[in-house]
Amino acid sequence: MPTELLFRDDAYLTEAEAKVEAVNELGGIVLDRTIFYATGGGQPGDVGKLRRADGSEIAIGTTIYNKEDKGQVIHVPAEGQGAPQVGETVTLVLDWDRRLKRMRIHTALHLLSVVLPFPVTGGSIGDGDGRLDFDIPEGGLDKAEVTEKLNELVARNAAVSERWITDEELDANPGLVKTMSVKPPRGSGRVRLVSIEGIDLQPCGGTHVRNTSEIGLVAVTDIEKKGKQNRRVRIALA
Ligand SMILES: [Zn+2]
């Protein structure tokens, strides 16, 4: 059974009940559903805890996808934690401070890809900072200028929303694909599109804030040359 990904529909859930489906040989906990984002797309897996019915807690150090079954999420306990029983109902409690910082950075990186409309070759999201690597033929990027443009977009108070679209709908709307900053992946039958109203549209499975205003002030902290055609642009919450 694939894990139901509650964060895909509501990234603001900080607590949820779930049932323990399995505990693997390494202690990894599989639940029927989760609010914990699993490592992927440059964003680290969520941390938090599982609260058991008797009030005891199991600290979760990270969250990952099962390599053999990509639809299954594994909650990896921190060292020295107890294990729940299969069939038990637990309450997931997310480390929200950390997740919100990641959501703010993640959404800011969407905006960065608008300020710098070049092919993205990589990226990473941290707790309050992050980076994108761009395929940029020439240098001359100015930190202050990119920062200013980025904050202009943040200040537009643009709504961020997600919706699913089927491959058939995509085929029927070639114009939509043309407006996307990243080409949607094919083959899974449907694609999750993230829209920043009037600013950006791209396929993404990550967690975002609901409005660009929630990002707050950001700054470009570094622009690094990574090879002839590559620039690594780092940003941080101000
Ligand atoms: Zn995203």
Side-chain angles (χ1 to χ4, degrees):
M1 277 280 285
T3 311
E4 192 188 344
L5 307 178
L6 300 174
F7 59 82
R8 280 275 169 81
D9 293 319
D10 185 355
Y12 284 74
L13 290 173
T14 58
E15 288 200 15
E17 281 197 345
K19 204 174 90 194
V20 178
E21 301 264 296
V23 179
N24 69 25
E25 61 279 10
L26 295 170
I29 301 163
V30 178
L31 305 168
D32 62 341
R33 52 193 217 143
T34 191
I35 55 173
F36 283 28
Y37 182 84
T39 305
Q43 187 168 325
D46 277 330
V47 297
K49 58 195 180 187
L50 302 185
R51 192 187 298 133
R52 305 177 73 181
D54 65 3
S56 66
E57 289 172 345
I58 298 166
I60 300 298
T62 190
T63 309
I64 56 174
Y65 286 105
N66 183 348
K67 280 196 191 76
E68 276 99 55
D69 177 0
K70 292 266 160 65
Q72 202 176 65
V73 170
I74 297 174
H75 305 79
V76 182
E79 226 164 283
Q81 301 294 304
Q85 299 292 317
V86 172
E88 183 179 330
T89 296
V90 293
T91 304
L92 285 146
V93 183
L94 182 63
D95 182 337
W96 175 245
D97 284 349
R98 212 180 290 200
R99 161 74 91 66
L100 182 57
K101 280 187 190 139
R102 292 171 182 175
M103 283 164 46
R104 290 165 66 195
I105 284 292
H106 183 129
T107 313
L109 290 177
H110 280 246
L111 297 181
L112 182 63
S113 75
V114 174
V115 172
L116 300 173
F118 303 99
V120 172
T121 58
S124 163
I125 293 156
D127 301 334
D129 58 10
R131 63 167 169 84
L132 283 181
D133 297 338
F134 294 94
D135 189 351
I136 299 178
E138 73 232 64
L141 291 183
D142 182 63
K143 270 199 281 191
E145 193 185 323
V146 177
T147 295
E148 193 186 322
K149 286 181 178 166
L150 203 50
N151 283 314
E152 268 170 29
L153 294 178
V154 168
R156 278 205 219 165
N157 299 341
V160 183
S161 60
E162 294 111 10
R163 71 187 156 106
W164 291 92
I165 187 164
T166 63
D167 286 355
E168 290 75 34
E169 284 172 284
L170 277 175
D171 291 337
N173 294 283
L176 190 60
V177 178
K178 226 178 264 175
T179 62
M180 286 184 216
S181 51
V182 180
K183 295 296 153 244
R186 289 302 182 121
S188 70
R190 61 177 199 155
V191 175
R192 185 175 186 255
L193 295 183
V194 174
S195 154
I196 303 180
E197 200 179 9
I199 297 175
D200 186 43
L201 179 69
Q202 60 176 281
C204 184
T207 54
H208 311 87
V209 293
R210 289 181 184 135
N211 191 289
T212 57
S213 61
E214 289 181 51
I215 297 170
L217 277 181
V218 286
V220 174
T221 54
D222 192 36
I223 298 176
E224 221 178 306
K225 198 170 176 208
K226 303 289 284 184
K228 202 170 154 217
Q229 293 242 124
N230 224 274
R231 296 294 179 282
R232 173 165 289 180
V233 181
R234 295 182 187 277
I235 63 167
L237 302 175

